[in-house]
Amino acid sequence: MAMSEGPALPEESTPARSLPPGEELRRRGRVRFRRSALMAAPACAIAATLVVLTAQGALAAQFAISGMPFTVKADTLKGTGFGQFGALDTMPEGSPNAGDTGGQVLVIVTAIRQAELTNLCQSVELGGTHLRITAGNRGTPVKATGLTTDSTEISGKLAAFDNIEIGGDASTFDKPPVKGPLGVFGQQADTVTITDVHQTNYATTATRFTLPDLHMSFHSEGC
């Protein structure tokens, strides 16, 4: 008499091999690192491009302005590699100095490759008092390389330019240290000399700024 076969037994499944805790964390770390590296690659490429363009003079270094104007005066300003064009400076969101401007200020950007200023005075009003800086008033001028100033007002007793070009597209300039935006009206010249300089500025940048006989103090009056 044949014996009836009993129900088939389920096949034994091979249990998954567990990893030591340290090895599992290392593998997860490598996966997360690879994902992070892939996501960071485009940002790194953009940053590298901006650095190269800035070094080539295609872009000016940008920063959020405080929105507090300051005064700059000098007996003379002499420079080589001069350019001017319009731009828009921006304050941080929620700045208490924004007022009704929307946090933006239309400025005249003056860019000079090499500049010298005699009897420089700079001041900013701080709650009823003025922080005043003076330099270059004892025979040795202030020197600046890659100087840019963002101004709302510029005046002088006399301004002289060599080989000036007026009305050019600021993005095509090759004389100043930086170029302006595409389609923006500007002017450039080989050299510039201005006497009795007076500027109302919102920003100043330079790759190098040397101020002999520097003096900084608070005063009841500005420059």
Side-chain angles (χ1 to χ4, degrees), residues 50-177:
L50 291 176
V51 169
V52 171
L53 289 175
T54 301
Q56 293 175 344
L59 295 173
Q62 298 294 317
F63 58 89
I65 62 171
S66 69
M68 299 178 66
F70 55 96
T71 299
V72 174
K73 290 185 178 181
D75 287 349
T76 60
L77 164 64
K78 295 182 179 181
T80 58
F82 165 86
Q84 271 186 338
F85 49 86
L88 202 62
D89 283 355
T90 304
M91 305 173 205
E93 185 176 354
S95 171
N97 302 317
D100 57 359
T101 67
Q104 293 182 320
V105 180
L106 184 63
V107 295
I108 306 162
V109 177
T110 302
I112 304 175
R113 286 192 182 275
Q114 300 289 339
E116 289 188 359
L117 302 98
T118 58
N119 197 20
L120 173 68
C121 181
Q122 175 180 299
S123 64
V124 59
E125 183 179 358
L126 301 171
T129 189
H130 296 80
L131 176 60
R132 193 162 72 183
I133 300 172
T134 59
N137 53 5
R138 295 183 181 178
T140 304
V142 170
K143 295 184 179 182
T145 301
L147 176 68
T148 66
T149 59
D150 295 8
S151 315
T152 54
E153 182 181 358
I154 302 173
S155 64
K157 185 176 182 180
L158 176 66
F161 305 90
D162 288 331
N163 298 322
I164 191 168
E165 302 170 5
I166 301 174
D169 190 302
S171 69
T172 66
F173 286 176
D174 57 2
K175 296 179 180 181

Side-chain angles (χ1 to χ4, degrees), residues 58 169-172 179-185:
D169 190 302
S171 69
T172 66
K179 302 177 186 291
L182 177 66
V184 170
F185 176 98

Side-chain angles (χ1 to χ4, degrees), residues 11-18:
E11 295 181 1
E12 293 185 2
S13 58
T14 303
R17 187 181 61 172
S18 60

